[in-house]
Amino acid sequence: MNDQVYLSFDALHHLVSAALSGGGLSARHADAVARVIVKAERDQCRSHGLYRIAGVLKTLQGGVAEAEAVPEISHSDDKPIIKVNARGGFSPLAFECGAPLLAEKAGRFGIAAMAINDCVHFSALWPEVEQLAEAGVAALAMCPSNAYVAPAGGIRKLLGTNPLAFAWPCTGGLPYVFDFATSVAARGEVELHRLDNTPLPQGWAIDAEGRPTTDPAAALDGALLTFGAHKGSAVATMIELLAGVLIGDLLSIESSALDNGRLLAPRHGELLIAFAPDAFGAASPAAHTQKLLAEFTAQGARLPSQRRYAARAQSLSRGIGISRENLAKLQQMSSGLMPTELH
Amino acid sequence: MNDQVYLSFDALHHLVSAALSGGGLSARHADAVARVIVKAERDQCRSHGLYRIAGVLKTLQGGVAEAEAVPEISHSDDKPIIKVNARGGFSPLAFECGAPLLAEKAGRFGIAAMAINDCVHFSALWPEVEQLAEAGVAALAMCPSNAYVAPAGGIRKLLGTNPLAFAWPCTGGLPYVFDFATSVAARGEVELHRLDNTPLPQGWAIDAEGRPTTDPAAALDGALLTFGAHKGSAVATMIELLAGVLIGDLLSIESSALDNGRLLAPRHGELLIAFAPDAFGAASPAAHTQKLLAEFTAQGARLPSQRRYAARAQSLSRGIGISRENLAKLQQMSSGLMPTELH
């Protein structure tokens, strides 16, 4: 399309980073947040792409995120636990600061964990677990969010949309990666139904009185439901316990109380666990993995990251497409003009 | 009921253990397997209770399980990884041998993992994670099974019913525990529908041609589906990778190939991960946990283990009820009579 321009990863990263710096983020945070946004655009995951820029800067201007926060890492050399205190900054820089040490500890101990505390959470989790898999370790990541979700059998908000992500390294190929919300749908999808004035599918939500509803406005006043009924509810609760209570950080209800209805990016923690196949006695993990995953293809089942990887291959061959309108906005923002919505 | 007798945990354990010994299991294995069976009866989880005895002995007589196997533990003092080689014996003894060391290592390192290899898997996972939580650590457990389940978008069996279990210690109270199959229903439930000649609910299964079916016989020829569509499929796949490939043990398709249609207890591995709240900086974990879990009760949502705990309280006050018929069968089996079905 004539309206699109195609940029390399680095060129778009430079533009987005400059726009975030123009909006007040420190250079290191702008660099890290921009990397996540451009990875999402590259993989055509628009829900975590350019359109998030306005939200990042709104959260910054709302005084929720620290623009200059320098993450602080603490760990003991003889222990496989890393704590990264994000000191109120956005999560991507905290992750990037701790990730190499997490991979190193997993390699040395067989299993290792990293808690990110006191961050303003921004980003899907797949770029994080994928980066760890590229460093040769399997990784699991989870975090609370704001309380938008009712537990199974419940009648009001308690749990977050609590994402769970996992990556498994595949020698010589792209890792096996999944990343999903433990709610049946993302809050953003309910918002889209409200804007489009279309009813929700059955089973997505309850209203403020705890009754099933297909009305998106009533759902936003009420609560989303978890995926897979009581099983998804159990997983979401586990995430509150491990990535909230265990790491000494906020539950989703506590993040929401702090947010106080402003719907800015939530402030809470995150837990990552990394595993080194060597330490557990994996025998020919590459061939063994292939034996499992090849069977998905053989029976026509899509692997969770297949769509993203196809989009990525296209982006790498022709560039990442963005509209001329978004390009102009990014250029204006890098000069310090007020952020505008990018679509 | 006149037909019931009520026994203490120890009395029933003694009977079941003697019955298993009578059937040929070594004293140590009989003791460990019986403990799991009696815990299930105590909690009115009949699907893992007395009726499993016949299956255990059938698996033993089928030459799949080693009656006298002595588990072998290997680990390095400076690493948080434990490998327990079950040497072809049933899993409960392997778990019991390794569990205290797993809890000790989790306390010392903050996080620790235990791989059980080459076991004949028997037991729900909740007794294991609950025992670890009682030792003060949070625990996650998972294992493959036989390949009964199609991946999301697939048309035939590939994944196991792959259970995932989690326990979180609650100071001064019973732990938060869940344990569920990642298939939408257990294979046993499909068997019950076949015996009762009742159709399956929609969404449980596909037939041998990969088409949705509500016919239980067609489902048993075809495949079960995962819970929560593609999300449950992703979790089940993760379990194949972590509790199969990572630990160098069998995938569900490999367990099934070994079983070769005999439908005996599957031979494969298991992975457990334990976490010590202290090491991650949990602040007042008891109060923080209570803040989350009390809200379940406040809104009428049942916690995953609530039904089991209510049954347990009843069993502890009046004894564990078993039928006179089952009591007689257990007594006969302890004299070495051939196993009969217990109901």
Side-chain angles (χ1 to χ4, degrees):
Chain A
M1 287 185 296
N2 199 16
D3 183 44
Q4 294 268 312
V5 288
Y6 294 93
L7 302 177
S8 70
F9 188 96
D10 289 347
L12 183 56
H13 177 261
H14 183 80
L15 268 170
V16 172
S17 183
L20 291 166
S21 290
L25 264 189
S26 78
R28 288 183 71 192
H29 276 293
D31 177 71
V33 171
R35 194 157 18 255
V36 169
I37 288 174
V38 177
K39 283 181 178 178
E41 284 290 325
R42 175 198 64 191
D43 288 7
Q44 289 177 27
C45 290
R46 296 277 147 72
S47 60
H48 287 87
L50 294 177
Y51 113 94
R52 290 270 172 143
I53 293 174
V56 167
L57 297 178
K58 192 175 157 204
T59 296
L60 194 63
Q61 284 144 14
V64 171
E66 300 295 330
E68 315 262 341
V70 177
E72 186 178 21
I73 297 181
S74 51
H75 73 109
S76 164
D77 195 53
D78 60 353
K79 296 257 166 70
I81 307 291
I82 304 158
K83 299 271 289 177
V84 184
N85 184 341
R87 300 164 97 181
F90 286 104
S91 56
L93 181 59
F95 171 77
E96 287 189 4
C97 288
L101 185 59
L102 176 59
E104 185 274 322
K105 279 190 189 273
R108 188 150 51 91
F109 290 100
I111 189 168
M114 178 163 89
I116 298 175
N117 282 108
D118 197 20
C119 71
V120 176
H121 209 268
F122 172 82
S123 163
L125 299 179
W126 61 260
E128 301 185 356
V129 292
E130 191 177 316
Q131 181 178 328
L132 289 164
E134 281 161 3
V137 295
L140 195 58
M142 61 189 82
C143 65
S145 69
N146 281 322
Y148 294 137
V149 180
I155 54 168
R156 57 178 177 263
K157 295 168 180 176
L158 171 60
L159 308 168
T161 51
N162 299 4
L164 180 72
F166 173 73
W168 177 262
C170 295
T171 313
L174 292 162
Y176 171 88
V177 178
F178 71 71
D179 178 2
F180 60 74
T182 50
S183 49
V184 70
R187 193 180 155 89
E189 294 177 74
V190 179
E191 288 278 12
L192 287 178
H193 278 272
R194 189 177 58 83
L195 292 171
D196 295 349
N197 211 14
T198 55
L200 303 176
Q202 298 278 354
W204 277 29
I206 53 177
D207 67 16
E209 277 72 48
R211 296 170 304 209
T213 185
T214 58
D215 173 2
L220 292 169
D221 280 344
L224 297 177
L225 296 173
T226 57
F227 90 100
H230 67 286
K231 297 182 181 182
S233 179
V235 174
T237 305
M238 175 186 81
I239 294 173
E240 298 283 339
L241 292 167
L242 289 181
V245 179
L246 178 78
I247 67 169
D249 214 308
L250 301 184
L251 302 169
S252 294
I253 37 173
E254 294 169 327
S255 292
S256 283
L258 199 66
D259 182 64
N260 200 17
R262 292 178 298 170
L263 300 178
L264 301 175
R267 194 153 168 166
H268 54 66
E270 179 185 340
L271 177 66
L272 295 116
I273 305 166
F275 307 83
D278 289 354
F280 285 86
S284 311
H288 209 184
T289 301
Q290 183 57 20
K291 181 170 180 179
L292 177 69
L293 300 187
E295 182 56 27
F296 279 77
T297 316
Q299 57 174 276
R302 203 167 68 170
L303 289 168
S305 36
Q306 207 160 315
R307 195 196 54 72
R308 278 200 305 105
Y309 289 155
R312 184 182 305 182
Q314 196 177 46
S315 293
L316 292 179
S317 74
R318 72 165 189 199
I320 304 169
I322 73 163
S323 68
R324 289 187 191 282
E325 187 189 341
N326 278 345
L327 177 63
K329 285 179 181 172
L330 286 172
Q331 286 164 335
Q332 287 164 355
M333 287 166 72
S334 65
S335 321
L337 284 181
M338 286 300 288
T340 42
E341 301 282 343
L342 288 86
H343 303 286
Chain B
M1 286 185 296
N2 200 14
D3 182 43
Q4 294 268 312
V5 288
Y6 294 92
L7 302 177
S8 70
F9 188 97
D10 289 347
L12 183 56
H13 178 261
H14 183 79
L15 267 171
V16 173
S17 184
L20 291 167
S21 292
L25 262 189
S26 77
R28 288 183 71 193
H29 275 293
D31 177 70
V33 171
R35 193 155 20 253
V36 169
I37 287 174
V38 178
K39 282 182 178 178
E41 283 291 324
R42 176 198 63 191
D43 288 6
Q44 288 177 26
C45 290
R46 297 276 148 74
S47 60
H48 288 88
L50 294 176
Y51 111 95
R52 290 270 173 142
I53 293 174
V56 167
L57 296 178
K58 193 175 156 202
T59 297
L60 195 62
Q61 285 144 14
V64 171
E66 301 294 331
E68 314 264 340
V70 177
E72 184 180 22
I73 297 181
S74 52
H75 73 108
S76 165
D77 196 54
D78 59 352
K79 296 257 166 69
I81 307 291
I82 304 158
K83 298 271 289 178
V84 184
N85 184 341
R87 299 164 96 182
F90 286 104
S91 56
L93 181 59
F95 171 78
E96 287 190 4
C97 288
L101 185 60
L102 177 60
E104 185 275 322
K105 280 190 188 272
R108 190 150 50 92
F109 290 100
I111 188 169
M114 179 163 88
I116 298 176
N117 282 108
D118 197 21
C119 70
V120 175
H121 209 268
F122 172 82
S123 161
L125 299 179
W126 60 260
E128 302 185 355
V129 293
E130 191 177 316
Q131 181 178 328
L132 290 164
E134 281 162 1
V137 296
L140 194 59
M142 61 188 84
C143 65
S145 69
N146 281 323
Y148 294 137
V149 181
I155 55 169
R156 58 177 177 262
K157 295 167 180 173
L158 171 60
L159 308 168
T161 51
N162 299 6
L164 181 72
F166 174 73
W168 177 260
C170 294
T171 313
L174 292 161
Y176 171 88
V177 178
F178 71 73
D179 178 1
F180 61 75
T182 50
S183 51
V184 70
R187 192 180 156 89
E189 293 177 76
V190 179
E191 289 278 12
L192 288 178
H193 279 272
R194 190 177 59 83
L195 292 171
D196 295 349
N197 211 14
T198 54
L200 303 176
Q202 297 279 354
W204 277 29
I206 53 178
D207 67 15
E209 278 72 48
R211 297 169 304 209
T213 186
T214 58
D215 172 3
L220 291 169
D221 280 343
L224 298 177
L225 296 174
T226 57
F227 90 102
H230 67 287
K231 296 181 182 183
S233 179
V235 174
T237 306
M238 176 186 80
I239 293 173
E240 299 282 341
L241 292 168
L242 289 180
V245 179
L246 178 79
I247 67 169
D249 214 308
L250 301 184
L251 301 169
S252 294
I253 36 172
E254 294 168 328
S255 293
S256 283
L258 199 67
D259 183 64
N260 200 16
R262 293 178 298 170
L263 299 178
L264 300 175
R267 193 153 169 166
H268 54 67
E270 179 185 339
L271 177 66
L272 295 115
I273 304 166
F275 307 83
D278 289 352
F280 285 87
S284 312
H288 209 184
T289 300
Q290 184 56 19
K291 181 170 180 180
L292 177 70
L293 300 186
E295 181 57 28
F296 279 77
T297 316
Q299 56 175 277
R302 201 166 68 171
L303 289 168
S305 35
Q306 208 161 314
R307 195 196 55 72
R308 277 200 305 107
Y309 289 154
R312 185 182 304 181
Q314 196 177 46
S315 294
L316 292 178
S317 74
R318 71 165 188 199
I320 304 170
I322 74 164
S323 68
R324 289 187 191 282
E325 187 188 341
N326 278 344
L327 178 62
K329 285 178 181 172
L330 285 173
Q331 286 163 337
Q332 287 165 354
M333 287 165 71
S334 66
S335 321
L337 285 181
M338 285 302 288
T340 42
E341 300 283 342
L342 288 86
H343 303 284

